[in-house]
Amino acid sequence: MALLKVKFNQKKRVKLAQGLWLMNWFSVFAGILVFSMGLFLKIELRKRSEVMDNSESHFVPNSLILMGILSCAFNGFAGKICYDSLDPAKFARWKPLLKPYLALCFFFNILIFFVALICFLMRGSLDSTLAQGLKNGMKFYRDTDTPGRCFMKKTIDMLQIEFKCCGNNGFKDWFEIQWISNRYLDFSSKEVKDRIKSNVDGRYLVDGVPFSCCNPSSPRPCIQYQVTNNSAHYSYDYQTEELNLWRRGCREALLHYYSSMMSSMGAVVLLVWLFEMSVMVGLRLLHTSLESITNPEDPECESEGWILENSLKDTFKSALENLKKIGKFNQVEADAEGAGGEEGGKTPAIATVS
């Protein structure tokens, strides 16, 4: 028994073809939207590629760009088929291509669904990428005279100002690295010498943060040095909520920014997938309804369209049987080759005896 069998007359077939033609062009615009989202995400990731540890995060935008291009191509082609199906003479040339095309559409829709899931599941990979990338970026903050790293200070400062964040996980991350360049240190000063000697790695560590960590909304002037020294400032306690530095780490801020963006894009891609599935189902009904016309000379006659020629259970069984046949065929070929090899090995032995 066929799955989702529907009866069609000429009027219904024409309406289905016209509706599918319109839906395919909507899908082309949806493909352009997916392509644009991927391009936008790629640009946003490239803006902050200096604070990302690897290029794995570009898998999502690259996938969206590819799916957008393929969607435009597939649906543009399907629109042409639907348009030509109104004329039996024009439709005849597409008949041999429809089954392979529908099979490609099926795999294409699986890929779209996979990309939508990746948009939702990329948060973990992005988290580790940002954590390591920000850690490395903060280490190079002081290298303003080193070629290839001189831009890092500006990048980190702009990042902290734009996203209202400080450090990797918080402002205390700056206490663990030397973020002040040696060119701005007075090595004849006792304080500088003592701080360098007190550190095993010979770094100048302070309980201070860059100016970009300061919250401009705070009524108090920014306290960016001696942050943990309450006695160094009047009426000050760094453990209270009145601390005028951004408390949120940049990893959390960037992760929230990119994951919310990817989740929104994933929701859009899921909607596109549902739309593409409905187009594929409609195209299959149109294909089978046109193929099942009993009298091609009478276009007004009734016909039947279906999704699967047999039920799901029977279709699954036939697919398994076909796979088994392919496996047996390969096994027979391998046995034949082995037998041929054995005969070839015995022939020289017979020749030697004679």
Side-chain angles (χ1 to χ4, degrees):
M1 183 180 178
L3 179 67
L4 197 63
K5 186 183 285 188
V6 183
K7 284 191 175 182
F8 288 91
N9 54 28
Q10 187 189 21
K11 188 177 179 181
K12 284 184 177 180
R13 287 194 296 268
V14 169
K15 282 186 176 180
L16 178 61
Q18 290 174 339
L20 284 172
W21 178 83
L22 188 62
M23 288 176 71
N24 275 296
W25 283 109
F26 274 123
S27 295
V28 169
F29 290 119
I32 294 171
L33 175 63
V34 172
F35 175 84
S36 304
M37 289 192 307
L39 196 61
F40 173 75
L41 181 58
K42 193 171 185 69
I43 291 169
E44 285 296 301
L45 289 170
R46 281 196 176 277
K47 281 182 183 177
R48 299 166 189 97
S49 57
E50 296 89 356
V51 293
M52 292 187 176
D53 185 45
N54 53 46
S55 58
E56 287 179 9
S57 53
H58 288 273
F59 176 76
V60 172
N62 291 340
S63 301
L64 290 173
I65 289 170
L66 178 62
M67 289 300 105
I69 294 171
L70 290 177
S71 179
C72 292
F74 272 92
N75 290 292
F77 183 71
K80 175 64 176 172
I81 293 173
C82 294
Y83 182 79
D84 286 349
S85 65
L86 299 172
D87 184 353
K90 289 183 179 179
F91 178 74
R93 64 182 177 181
W94 298 116
K95 276 187 177 181
L97 298 175
L98 271 173
K99 280 188 177 179
Y101 174 75
L102 286 167
L104 285 174
C105 284
F106 178 74
F107 288 110
F108 173 65
N109 283 317
I110 291 175
L111 285 176
I112 291 180
F113 185 73
F114 175 72
V115 170
L117 286 181
I118 290 295
C119 288
F120 292 109
L121 300 175
M122 199 67 184
R123 182 184 175 93
S125 175
L126 190 62
D127 189 8
S128 58
T129 296
L130 285 169
Q132 191 59 42
L134 282 165
K135 186 178 179 181
N136 293 334
M138 289 170 64
K139 286 180 182 177
F140 302 143
Y141 183 87
R142 65 172 180 167
D143 297 339
T144 52
D145 298 327
T146 307
R149 298 177 185 172
C150 53
F151 59 86
M152 191 57 74
K153 179 183 181 301
K154 181 182 176 182
T155 300
I156 297 290
D157 283 333
M158 294 303 296
L159 177 68
Q160 293 187 146
I161 291 170
E162 181 181 353
F163 286 91
K164 299 179 179 179
C165 59
C166 185
N168 190 345
N169 299 306
F171 68 91
K172 288 186 178 180
D173 292 336
W174 289 108
F175 301 172
E176 300 172 3
I177 62 171
Q178 181 182 336
W179 56 271
I180 301 174
S181 175
N182 287 338
R183 68 180 296 187
Y184 302 114
L185 295 177
D186 181 8
F187 287 95
S188 62
S189 169
K190 186 178 183 301
E191 181 191 352
V192 173
K193 287 180 180 179
D194 290 343
R195 282 189 179 274
I196 291 175
K197 285 180 182 179
S198 64
N199 185 265
V200 177
D201 299 325
R203 294 177 297 169
Y204 181 76
L205 303 182
V206 293
D207 56 342
V209 296
F211 77 97
S212 52
C213 283
C214 295
N215 180 358
S217 302
S218 174
R220 181 172 189 151
C222 185
I223 297 174
Q224 63 180 111
Y225 294 106
Q226 294 185 315
V227 176
T228 57
N229 187 357
N230 293 336
S231 60
H233 312 283
Y234 177 74
S235 184
Y236 174 74
D237 184 358
Y238 82 96
Q239 292 181 332
T240 64
E241 294 181 1
E242 296 177 2
L243 186 68
N244 52 7
L245 302 175
W246 301 119
R247 287 186 171 272
R248 186 169 65 160
C250 290
R251 180 185 59 82
E252 181 188 346
L254 283 172
L255 185 63
H256 175 73
Y257 174 71
Y258 283 120
S259 13
S260 60
M261 187 187 296
M262 287 183 184
S263 297
S264 302
M265 290 179 178
V268 173
V269 175
L270 272 180
L271 290 175
V272 172
W273 172 73
L274 290 171
F275 198 74
E276 291 282 356
M277 287 292 292
S278 61
V279 170
M280 186 181 71
V281 169
L283 192 60
R284 173 63 175 167
L285 287 172
L286 180 65
H287 167 225
T288 50
S289 66
L290 288 169
E291 277 200 333
S292 62
I293 293 176
T294 53
N295 185 10
E297 295 180 359
D298 181 17
E300 294 186 4
C301 68
E302 289 190 348
S303 62
E304 290 183 340
W306 56 81
I307 304 300
L308 293 174
E309 194 169 356
N310 301 311
S311 64
L312 278 172
K313 186 178 179 181
D314 293 337
T315 304
F316 183 70
K317 280 183 179 179
S318 64
L320 281 178
E321 286 175 4
N322 289 332
L323 287 173
K324 286 178 181 178
K325 285 178 182 178
I326 292 170
K328 287 179 180 178
F329 179 73
N330 291 335
Q331 187 177 358
V332 168
E333 282 191 340
D335 292 343
E337 287 177 3
E342 286 178 4
E343 287 178 4
K346 290 177 181 178
T347 303
I350 295 168
T352 304
V353 171
S354 63

